[in-house]
Amino acid sequence: MEERTAMSFRVSGNEIWVLDQRALPQEENWLPSKTVNDMIGHIKNLVVRGAPLIAIAAVHSLAQLAEQGASKEDLLLAKKVLLLSRPTAVNLANAMHSLVSNGTEPDPEHIAKAAAKLFDDDVAMCERIAENGAALVCQGDGIIHHCNTGGLATAGIGTALGIIKRAHEQGKRIHVFVDETRPLLQGARLTVWELEKLGVPYSLIIDSISAVYMERGEIQKAFVGADRIALNGDVANKAGTFNLAIVCRHFGVPFYVAAPITTLDPYAYAGASIPIEERDAEEVRGYQGPGEKIFWSSKNCCVRNPAFDLTPNALVTAIVTDVGVYSGREIKSGCLEELSQDILPTC
Amino acid sequence: MEERTAMSFRVSGNEIWVLDQRALPQEENWLPSKTVNDMIGHIKNLVVRGAPLIAIAAVHSLAQLAEQGASKEDLLLAKKVLLLSRPTAVNLANAMHSLVSNGTEPDPEHIAKAAAKLFDDDVAMCERIAENGAALVCQGDGIIHHCNTGGLATAGIGTALGIIKRAHEQGKRIHVFVDETRPLLQGARLTVWELEKLGVPYSLIIDSISAVYMERGEIQKAFVGADRIALNGDVANKAGTFNLAIVCRHFGVPFYVAAPITTLDPYAYAGASIPIEERDAEEVRGYQGPGEKIFWSSKNCCVRNPAFDLTPNALVTAIVTDVGVYSGREIKSGCLEELSQDILPTC
């Protein structure tokens, strides 16, 4: 495979290494991924996370397997189980769709090239999203951000957080309200870590306090990422996005979704057809850091823990992509459906 | 002092014991409170919490000091520091206002009797709130509840959670959505613990996912408590209440606030004049259970951590008190101001 390095992903020869995002910010541990099973474990356990990075990591895992001389049958099976590892992130499906198919014999070099291209495309897409999005940020803006959408979630500078990085570099005096993003605390652990490295002023807040700062006029915009976007503009993203969008609407705070156009699901007309992954109750019952698992509620208490939610298009001010910014009005008049023609896999 | 026992508070002779709510549900530790300083520590550290119980505990602490033969000066000072221990809970101020004053010599027996009466009144108020509120609950209701408002927060069966208990006893088939209530997880730790004891069906959810269940039609009502209510009906309550009220409004889910009438602040015309306590950043940076403190974000990260927020009267469907249920319309036409005449301390 071609050599590539991102903030939390490295490939060199036949080796893949991933930064264990569960241990951040306390520890920076790089873990090897020697097999497809390793990678599935890393994705399921959130060692690797972020819709764009999941796709890049999974395709490299497939390229690694092909280089190791796997048969077509093995590659087809590997593709299938990789696709099931995080059912909501659509980039994964988009990226893998035509790479290994029944019809043709697998070509390791072709798959490796496709993996490297996916990486490079993501870097470039992040840059374009950042450019497009930073134009929406004004001098002095307070920006609320959900989950982690930065260099840790992509091969490049990130999506929503890439926009924030770019606006900061442009000299816009911004302040980021980082919501902690329960249950897995990607905001508190990862976004804070990235913003500190970038030197962007921020305040960490609990997820449920955003209204206070919107009412005080301290928040002018919201930027979030997306795991999958339906053709009608409904957005599947990390649990907590829908509540945030409602609070933004209440105060008239523009709510922007930033994602590469590959996040569009050409097979989902509306959000209702997007599968929402329900994760382990233990994520809510306590905390699993690098050390021992801690429970704060009773160990068998009843929990409902969807990993994602669906924000209806009506609450989305605009979707910021690498190929343009699409307003709620444009989305309503079907622009995403038109765009989807370009990314529909030809199969 | 007269003997009294509540779920998390016991008094006998000159002894006061409090159940350490920080260690629940893992451990049930009763801690002594031998001095006013002990009690201030217990209140500040949330060993004792819940606006009604804070007032009861503080007044008993004053009664304990009086029994120990303290001078008027000592009692006045003790009253002053106790009042500062949790600035947002108004029951404390209401309860202590006329108990120790400059004018008269302190009478230990009088203070002890007042403390016991406060306890008994709270038990009775909880019962009346439960009766008034349970009438609003329908067969099959899904109810969302924030923080902890049960037997742990009062001398009686609680406020919002007392209503839920009563509705359950009346045979109404209800399901409670318990939001975990970051940062101190009173929902996950305490409300789950109480509901399990009561046998009421519930699901623990993260604070930011309520919209998902409202959209699916699984939540018909919200019941929360209050730490202080302004005369215009603005409600100071645990951080996260305002966001929840906005989400309820978005879906047309009635939002009920349950509290004894003593939660009314006769000196606050609107919410803006209620002081909001900002608590330690460490509460958000990690978790402090019975064991070692855990950090999940960087140890020095910037945090904003108001303990309470203000829900404007416009988002409140009704306030359920021990003396009646007051609709948003009645509140707008000034009913709370009239009621406040009865509880204004005569000084």
Side-chain angles (χ1 to χ4, degrees):
Chain A
M1 294 179 287
E2 293 178 25
E3 197 162 314
R4 292 291 184 278
T5 302
M7 188 183 271
S8 65
F9 181 80
R10 286 201 303 246
V11 54
S12 176
N14 193 250
E15 287 188 4
I16 301 172
W17 294 83
V18 294
L19 179 62
D20 186 353
Q21 300 202 21
R22 298 167 308 178
L24 287 176
Q26 283 77 22
E27 296 170 23
E28 299 189 19
N29 299 332
W30 286 85
L31 305 178
S33 180
K34 296 180 178 178
T35 65
V36 168
N37 271 346
D38 282 356
M39 188 57 80
I40 288 166
H42 290 332
I43 294 172
K44 274 186 183 292
N45 298 327
L46 304 177
V47 172
V48 175
R49 49 155 291 284
L53 194 64
I54 287 170
I56 290 160
V59 172
H60 275 90
S61 187
L62 212 59
Q64 182 186 48
L65 183 66
E67 272 190 6
Q68 289 163 355
S71 67
K72 186 168 78 177
E73 287 66 36
D74 280 356
L75 284 166
L76 281 168
L77 187 65
K79 171 183 153 179
K80 201 169 162 185
V81 286
L82 281 164
L83 277 173
L84 289 171
S85 59
R86 295 295 311 265
T88 308
V90 76
N91 313 52
L92 186 52
N94 283 340
M96 296 184 107
H97 223 288
S98 56
L99 217 50
V100 179
S101 67
N102 276 316
T104 52
E105 274 309 299
D107 172 1
E109 207 177 320
H110 168 71
I111 301 175
K113 272 197 189 315
K117 183 172 184 305
L118 196 68
F119 186 106
D120 297 340
D121 285 353
D122 189 64
V123 172
M125 282 190 295
C126 287
E127 292 297 322
R128 290 196 295 270
I129 291 168
E131 277 306 306
N132 291 338
L136 299 166
V137 178
C138 299
Q139 191 59 257
D141 270 355
I143 296 172
I144 189 160
H145 175 273
H146 186 57
C147 197
N148 172 265
T149 64
L152 289 170
T154 62
I157 59 168
T159 56
L161 213 53
I163 291 170
I164 286 166
K165 177 179 189 284
R166 183 59 45 86
H168 174 69
E169 287 165 351
Q170 289 171 349
K172 289 170 180 164
R173 200 184 62 257
I174 56 175
H175 189 93
V176 184
F177 287 82
V178 179
D179 71 18
E180 58 179 9
T181 317
R182 282 283 298 149
L184 293 172
L185 301 156
Q186 291 92 338
R189 296 189 302 110
L190 308 177
T191 300
V192 162
W193 185 76
E194 289 202 43
L195 289 175
E196 285 186 344
K197 279 183 185 265
L198 295 171
V200 179
Y202 71 89
S203 300
L204 175 63
I205 57 171
I206 58 169
D207 298 317
S208 62
I209 201 76
S210 50
V212 166
Y213 300 106
M214 291 193 208
E215 192 184 47
R216 291 187 195 161
E218 294 189 46
I219 295 176
Q220 279 66 43
K221 269 141 208 162
F223 281 96
V224 303
D227 288 82
R228 197 185 288 220
I229 300 174
L231 295 182
N232 73 343
D234 292 349
V235 172
N237 192 43
K238 182 55 55 197
T241 305
F242 188 10
N243 272 45
L244 177 58
I246 290 168
V247 176
C248 283
R249 172 58 50 96
H250 183 80
F251 291 102
V253 169
F255 184 82
Y256 295 111
V257 174
I261 196 65
T262 50
T263 309
L264 204 58
D265 181 354
Y267 300 106
Y269 176 69
S273 60
I274 297 177
I276 296 295
E277 178 190 358
E278 180 90 18
R279 289 183 61 87
D280 198 320
E282 302 232 331
E283 292 181 352
V284 180
R285 290 181 187 137
Y287 176 68
Q288 172 71 71
E292 209 190 334
K293 166 102 200 182
I294 292 153
F295 288 90
W296 45 64
S297 56
S298 62
K299 284 191 186 179
N300 298 311
C301 71
C302 308
V303 169
R304 292 174 79 175
N305 182 27
F308 304 95
D309 59 26
L310 289 163
T311 300
N313 55 14
L315 295 175
V316 176
T317 305
I319 298 181
V320 182
T321 77
D322 45 304
V323 296
V325 177
Y326 302 97
S327 69
R329 203 170 40 183
E330 290 171 293
I331 291 166
K332 254 184 217 141
S333 63
C335 73
L336 297 182
E337 219 168 332
E338 278 170 43
L339 275 168
S340 75
Q341 305 300 324
D342 304 333
I343 60 161
L344 250 174
T346 49
C347 57
Chain B
M1 294 179 286
E2 293 179 26
E3 196 161 315
R4 292 291 184 277
T5 301
M7 188 182 273
S8 64
F9 180 81
R10 287 203 301 248
V11 54
S12 176
N14 193 251
E15 288 188 4
I16 300 171
W17 294 83
V18 293
L19 178 61
D20 185 353
Q21 300 202 21
R22 300 168 306 178
L24 287 177
Q26 284 77 22
E27 296 170 24
E28 298 188 20
N29 300 332
W30 286 85
L31 304 178
S33 181
K34 296 180 176 176
T35 66
V36 168
N37 271 346
D38 282 355
M39 187 56 82
I40 288 165
H42 290 332
I43 293 173
K44 274 187 184 290
N45 298 326
L46 303 176
V47 172
V48 175
R49 47 154 293 285
L53 194 64
I54 287 171
I56 291 161
V59 172
H60 275 91
S61 187
L62 211 59
Q64 181 186 49
L65 183 67
E67 272 190 6
Q68 289 163 354
S71 68
K72 186 168 77 177
E73 287 66 34
D74 281 353
L75 284 166
L76 281 168
L77 187 64
K79 171 183 154 180
K80 200 170 162 184
V81 285
L82 280 165
L83 277 173
L84 288 171
S85 59
R86 295 296 310 265
T88 308
V90 75
N91 313 51
L92 186 53
N94 283 339
M96 297 184 106
H97 224 289
S98 56
L99 217 50
V100 180
S101 65
N102 275 315
T104 52
E105 272 310 298
D107 171 0
E109 207 176 320
H110 168 70
I111 301 175
K113 272 198 190 311
K117 183 173 185 304
L118 196 67
F119 186 106
D120 297 341
D121 285 352
D122 188 63
V123 172
M125 282 190 293
C126 287
E127 293 296 323
R128 290 195 295 270
I129 291 169
E131 277 306 305
N132 290 339
L136 299 166
V137 177
C138 300
Q139 191 59 256
D141 271 356
I143 296 172
I144 190 161
H145 175 272
H146 187 58
C147 199
N148 173 264
T149 64
L152 289 169
T154 62
I157 59 167
T159 55
L161 213 53
I163 291 170
I164 286 167
K165 176 179 190 285
R166 183 59 44 85
H168 174 69
E169 287 165 351
Q170 289 172 349
K172 289 171 181 165
R173 200 183 63 256
I174 55 174
H175 189 93
V176 184
F177 287 81
V178 180
D179 71 19
E180 57 180 9
T181 317
R182 281 284 298 149
L184 293 172
L185 301 157
Q186 291 91 339
R189 297 189 302 107
L190 309 178
T191 300
V192 161
W193 185 76
E194 288 203 44
L195 288 175
E196 284 186 345
K197 279 184 186 267
L198 296 171
V200 179
Y202 71 90
S203 300
L204 175 63
I205 57 171
I206 58 170
D207 298 318
S208 63
I209 201 74
S210 51
V212 166
Y213 301 106
M214 291 193 207
E215 192 184 47
R216 292 188 196 160
E218 296 189 46
I219 295 176
Q220 278 66 44
K221 269 142 207 164
F223 281 95
V224 303
D227 288 82
R228 197 186 289 220
I229 299 174
L231 295 182
N232 73 344
D234 293 348
V235 173
N237 192 40
K238 182 54 58 196
T241 305
F242 188 9
N243 272 44
L244 178 58
I246 290 168
V247 176
C248 284
R249 172 56 52 95
H250 183 79
F251 290 102
V253 168
F255 184 82
Y256 296 110
V257 174
I261 197 66
T262 50
T263 310
L264 204 58
D265 181 354
Y267 300 106
Y269 175 71
S273 60
I274 297 177
I276 296 295
E277 179 190 358
E278 181 89 16
R279 289 183 62 88
D280 198 319
E282 302 235 330
E283 292 182 351
V284 179
R285 290 181 188 137
Y287 176 68
Q288 173 71 70
E292 209 189 333
K293 165 100 200 183
I294 291 153
F295 287 91
W296 46 63
S297 57
S298 61
K299 285 190 184 178
N300 298 310
C301 71
C302 310
V303 169
R304 292 175 78 175
N305 182 27
F308 303 95
D309 58 27
L310 289 164
T311 300
N313 55 13
L315 295 175
V316 176
T317 305
I319 297 179
V320 182
T321 76
D322 46 303
V323 296
V325 178
Y326 303 96
S327 70
R329 204 170 41 184
E330 290 171 294
I331 291 166
K332 253 182 218 143
S333 64
C335 73
L336 297 182
E337 217 168 332
E338 278 170 43
L339 275 167
S340 75
Q341 306 301 323
D342 304 333
I343 60 162
L344 252 175
T346 47
C347 57

